[in-house]
Amino acid sequence: MKKVLLFAIIIGCIPLQMVGQDQNSSNGDSDRITVNARVVAEGIEMTTIRDMRFGKVQPGQQEISISPLRDPNAGKMVASGIPDERIRVSFLREWQLTNDQGGEPLTFSYRVAGNSIDDQNTSELLETNNRNLRFNSEGEFYFWIGGRVNISNASPGNYEGEFTIEIEYI
Amino acid sequence: MKRPLFIIFIFWFLFTGHLYAQEINFGQYATEGIVLTNESPHSGGLNFGQVIEGDGTISIQLTDPEVVVFSIEAEIDKDIFVTITPPARLVYDADNKMDYTLQASYSNKGNDNKSQAVTINGTSVRFPVLARENKPPGTPPTPKHGDNTTPTTKAYLYIYGDLTVSNTEGGSLAAGLYTGTINITVSYEEQN
């Protein structure tokens, strides 16, 4: 009897595992994505070389238009960064010009031209979002800012506004 | 005779190892394969853009447009197991690395809706392809028979995270592109 008891104790000390069925299914799927970040040693600087100039409005004039491709009154900016690096440029197409004497603001529609060399005549019009631009070998890219505004209902006064452009490496 | 038997039973329960309850994984009966699709409108990868040393921690959050979105199409009455394997670091070269911390969520209400997303703690999760809406589990899935097929639906997986802009190898970060790879696996059964 003692042998039976001892045998039972030994058996009881051996853990028994019961596991459920485990059959692998081949119906799964997988994929992978890249995580990336570009470290830049320096940021991009924007310098305004000259502001856009409208000049005096003539009586009866309905619209003011400044061509960024040809007009010497176009605004001019230069971006500075890492030479030969690709950049993405985006800007807001429209902006409100406010009258310092009150009254309704005017909506200005910007047009921007860009060039890797300092030559307005060979510059090209940019879209609001551009990904195929590149700094030149000296790390510069030039912008000319023009546009148009309807002044048929404008009140007398001085109008001012801002131009917002965003540049980043890609 | 009864006393020795009683003692035997006591020792049995004291020293017996763990008893595992059987779990039937109905996923083994799935006949429709899982389809994992990158639905992101951008390049498809997780892009932190340009960073400058000293930026600290850059985060892509669930509501940001840079989040990578996957759809998981699977049988509507099954659970799925999702395993995400992130890189520990983004690497430029052996001397230039940055820490990346994975963040992920899923949505299983039948549509791509981040406001309904559930945060995944860790790198793996199990969830029903279609949420049971606080109801008790239904009847077991119907095994395939004849021409019967189980309908499918889509759950959604969102991948984002944090980047620490400093060199884990010491010194300044070299300028350039740092990359890593995230692997995603989805199955009806837990991958061991």
Side-chain angles (χ1 to χ4, degrees), chain A residues 86-89 129-134 168 170, chain B residues 47:
Chain A
R86 289 177 59 207
I87 54 176
R88 169 179 167 268
V89 176
N129 193 329
N130 306 271
R131 290 179 169 271
N132 294 320
L133 306 178
R134 190 185 292 271
E168 62 178 351
I170 56 175
Chain B
N47 186 0

Side-chain angles (χ1 to χ4, degrees), chain A residues 40-71:
Chain A
V40 295
E42 57 185 73
I44 297 175
E45 291 187 7
M46 286 293 291
T47 303
T48 298
I49 297 175
R50 71 169 177 266
D51 293 325
M52 197 180 342
R53 296 187 299 265
F54 293 109
K56 290 186 178 180
V57 176
Q58 301 301 317
Q61 187 172 353
Q62 300 290 310
E63 181 183 86
I64 298 176
S65 177
I66 297 178
S67 169
L69 297 171
R70 294 177 295 276
D71 199 322

Side-chain angles (χ1 to χ4, degrees), chain A residues 11 83 87 90 133 153 167:
Chain A
I11 294 298
I87 54 176
S90 60
L133 306 178
N153 295 319
I167 305 175

Side-chain angles (χ1 to χ4, degrees), chain A residues 3-18:
Chain A
K3 290 182 180 178
V4 173
L5 180 60
L6 178 61
F7 179 74
I9 292 173
I10 294 173
I11 294 298
C13 291
I14 300 174
L16 298 177
Q17 294 185 1
M18 296 192 296

